[in-house]
Amino acid sequence: LDRTLEYDITTALENASLEDITRFLEDIDAGSFEMPDEMSKQRIKSRTLNALGIENKKENKAHGTKTGRKMLKTILGMVASLAIVLTTVCTFNVEAREMVRQMFSFIPGIGVTESYEDIYVLSESVVSAENEDLLMEINRADVEDGYITLEYKATLKNVDIDKVNYFVLEEDPIGALNNYYIELGYDKYFEINRDLSMPSYSALEIKGETLNRVETDTFFNELSGYKYALITEKYDLNGLTVEDVKDAKLTLGTLSLDFSLEKAQVFYTEEQALEDKLISEKDGVSVVCETKWINNTLVASLYVVKSENCEVVTLFPYYLSEEAGVFLNINGKRVTGYIANNEVNQDSVVFWLDKEDMNQPCEITIPVIAVKDLGASDDDAYIMESNFTFKVEK
Amino acid sequence: MHKKILSDSEILDLIKYDPSAGMKRLMDDYSGLVYYIVNGKLNGRQQDVEECVSDVFVEFYNKIDEMDLDKGSIKAYLATMAARRGIDYFRKQAGRDNEDIDEFAELRGDEGDNPENSILETERRQKILQAVKDLGEPDSTIIFRRYFLGQQVKEIAEDLDMKGNSVTKRISRALETLKSGLEEFYFG
């Protein structure tokens, strides 16, 4: 009877009205329930946003399809996320404390305020390596409580998305996908399994010591045909500190990638921070461009660093076509670049250019940005047509 | 990092205004609670639990336009969704693994197929719920924590700043009270 009663109580509570559940939960602090670990939380976030298709898409559910102007209004309210701030800081290798503090002080609706002391960042803005099978890119490396957490992306170069999409018609789609990976040799990099958790065959070596991997998670993006894997891993530093993370070697299967963490430099003035950077200034708006070549691909990161009499809403408004947003001039020939996914932010844009002839100097031009006058209402945002041009040397 | 505490309506507004930022904030604030409830119902592999938790947030987002904060808090909506979805997952899992099915059917009593039994079942649940509420505080909260959230005695004791023994005794006494108050259901 006791067991039946307990079961009945459980069932009764599970079927209680929202009003009742609200009352029962009134004094229960949701914050006191912790996730088993941060990575689990990140996986859930990633899976949820992916399922909803809303990651980095700032669309207003209440308004549906929007015109450019309405979209501008939405962009004005974008949350300046930590990622944006850190991306900016990482790219310049700058701990511009004042800048960071200012950026943190303006987060609509959230109100996060905290000044950072020591920030350790990847010493290169783009850390990547590739072979005939994979392109591997480290997005993030954090050291905390004696562990280092890495987040990196692996692009399975030989996977044909169209082919994968047809596997759904097979009697055993997962088996077909597994066989396809094995056929392409990706079993060197991942444990190919039927639940598609696909743990990576990875190792992290720092100061000649191979660290113990304590957590790993591989998230294959189903919507992009299982071509891209986002891998999050945690390693025990075994007594090493963040300062020891120099010449670290991350190996995935047969592909290795070297990286280092370094303490971000401290600059107290904007001029100091931007020294030696490519800067283009038009109509009171300054945009800085940092470039890097990965083989023959040019990776350009553009950030707004100053604006007078106006506020920049977004660089390269993302609702415009790519051609309207950025173009290059290589040997007098106009070439269109493509914008890397998920990297167009309120005040920054990163794009990868892998056209022919990229292995030489060129000019990058952004013809439009979205701005509004200081003090103007959101509705008064407009497109500024000024060419921001950077002469890029390899 | 200090986050401004957002009211329920502010969170809903944020989700409508900027779905990505809003959902991230919602998950920051509530994923621990949702995970706890789902894990209690499912008691499965971490991957299954995470998938189920994610489904709860997807359901929340998809139903956001139907939500009425006068009827229930965000916490209550999520907790209810978590419990029900956790049970659904458990059923699927039990069916898939072909385990626990008999036990589950026995506990359910197969009343769901019969409309008359279904009405009786609803009535019984309402009576039980009322009896739990009538226990008064802190007993009704303890029973809620134990049987809805699935908290262990130790956790309840810590949260309520009580001794473990004291919580155990209160649960035991509350069950006795409920049993005697519900005699008609159990002994006809």
Side-chain angles (χ1 to χ4, degrees), chain A residues 183-253:
Chain A
E183 184 189 315
L184 294 175
Y186 287 113
D187 50 345
K188 288 198 294 280
Y189 306 95
F190 301 97
E191 180 189 322
I192 309 297
N193 54 25
R194 288 198 62 84
D195 65 10
L196 298 179
S197 59
M198 310 276 188
S200 64
Y201 293 133
S202 63
L204 178 61
E205 195 180 295
I206 297 177
K207 282 191 154 181
E209 186 180 343
T210 302
L211 302 181
N212 182 30
R213 187 173 78 176
V214 291
E215 286 178 24
T216 183
D217 176 63
T218 304
F219 177 70
F220 268 95
N221 189 337
E222 188 181 345
L223 298 174
S224 59
Y226 294 96
K227 189 179 176 70
Y228 306 98
L230 187 64
I231 303 155
T232 312
E233 290 172 345
K234 191 172 176 181
Y235 292 85
D236 188 344
L237 279 171
N238 194 24
L240 298 172
T241 68
V242 65
E243 288 167 7
D244 295 319
V245 187
K246 312 277 183 209
D247 305 321
K249 185 191 284 286
L250 174 66
T251 303
L252 175 58

Side-chain angles (χ1 to χ4, degrees), chain B residues 12-45:
Chain B
L12 292 189
D13 285 347
L14 184 60
I15 294 171
K16 287 175 183 170
Y17 188 73
D18 183 339
S20 173
M23 286 304 290
K24 281 178 187 167
R25 179 59 195 261
L26 182 79
M27 289 186 274
D28 276 340
D29 289 355
Y30 292 104
S31 54
L33 175 67
V34 172
Y35 190 99
Y36 194 93
I37 295 172
V38 167
N39 192 39
K41 304 291 174 203
L42 201 51
N43 200 20
R45 289 187 315 145

Side-chain angles (χ1 to χ4, degrees), chain A residues 118-370:
Chain A
D118 292 338
I119 298 179
Y120 281 79
V121 296
L122 288 165
S123 54
E124 300 282 340
S125 59
V126 180
V127 184
S128 65
E130 65 180 321
N131 62 11
E132 66 280 9
D133 300 322
L134 286 181
L135 168 64
M136 178 162 66
E137 303 154 78
I138 298 188
N139 301 324
R140 196 168 67 86
D142 292 333
V143 171
E144 199 177 356
D145 298 334
Y147 294 93
I148 182 167
T149 302
L150 299 177
E151 191 178 285
Y152 59 101
K153 183 174 148 188
T155 303
L156 282 58
K157 289 161 66 175
N158 303 324
V159 167
D160 179 348
I161 295 176
D162 290 338
K163 197 166 181 181
V164 172
N165 287 339
Y166 278 105
F167 288 157
V168 76
L169 303 174
E170 304 262 348
E171 191 176 333
D172 177 11
I174 293 176
L177 181 64
N178 284 354
N179 290 337
Y180 184 53
Y181 279 150
I182 292 167
E183 184 189 315
L184 294 175
Y186 287 113
D187 50 345
K188 288 198 294 280
Y189 306 95
F190 301 97
E191 180 189 322
I192 309 297
N193 54 25
R194 288 198 62 84
D195 65 10
L196 298 179
S197 59
M198 310 276 188
S200 64
Y201 293 133
S202 63
L204 178 61
E205 195 180 295
I206 297 177
K207 282 191 154 181
E209 186 180 343
T210 302
L211 302 181
N212 182 30
R213 187 173 78 176
V214 291
E215 286 178 24
T216 183
D217 176 63
T218 304
F219 177 70
F220 268 95
N221 189 337
E222 188 181 345
L223 298 174
S224 59
Y226 294 96
K227 189 179 176 70
Y228 306 98
L230 187 64
I231 303 155
T232 312
E233 290 172 345
K234 191 172 176 181
Y235 292 85
D236 188 344
L237 279 171
N238 194 24
L240 298 172
T241 68
V242 65
E243 288 167 7
D244 295 319
V245 187
K246 312 277 183 209
D247 305 321
K249 185 191 284 286
L250 174 66
T251 303
L252 175 58
T254 53
L255 179 62
S256 290
L257 183 159
D258 295 328
F259 70 95
S260 295
L261 288 185
E262 63 179 29
K263 192 172 171 182
Q265 286 176 268
V266 179
F267 292 113
Y268 292 101
T269 66
E270 198 175 64
E271 288 74 19
Q272 204 182 3
L274 300 174
E275 218 172 66
D276 302 329
K277 301 290 177 192
L278 296 172
I279 297 180
S280 178
E281 188 169 353
K282 293 279 176 182
D283 300 330
V285 176
S286 299
V287 176
V288 65
C289 174
E290 194 192 61
T291 56
K292 182 181 173 68
W293 267 270
I294 300 176
N295 297 329
N296 286 335
T297 298
L298 169 63
V299 182
S301 308
L302 299 157
Y303 299 91
V304 175
V305 289
K306 194 166 68 178
S307 55
E308 288 171 4
N309 305 320
C310 67
E311 182 184 329
V312 173
V313 180
T314 178
L315 260 169
F316 172 66
Y318 58 75
Y319 49 87
L320 297 177
S321 70
E322 286 181 8
E323 288 187 27
V326 59
F327 61 84
L328 292 106
N329 197 317
I330 305 170
N331 289 336
K333 196 168 80 179
R334 184 172 151 146
V335 182
T336 305
Y338 79 89
I339 306 298
N341 279 338
N342 302 328
E343 293 187 60
V344 180
N345 293 314
Q346 185 170 356
D347 53 2
S348 66
V349 57
V350 180
F351 56 89
W352 294 58
L353 304 149
D354 60 356
K355 301 292 178 185
E356 290 172 15
D357 304 328
M358 281 310 301
N359 194 17
Q360 57 185 307
C362 63
E363 279 184 6
I364 298 173
T365 300
I366 301 187
V368 290
I369 59 173

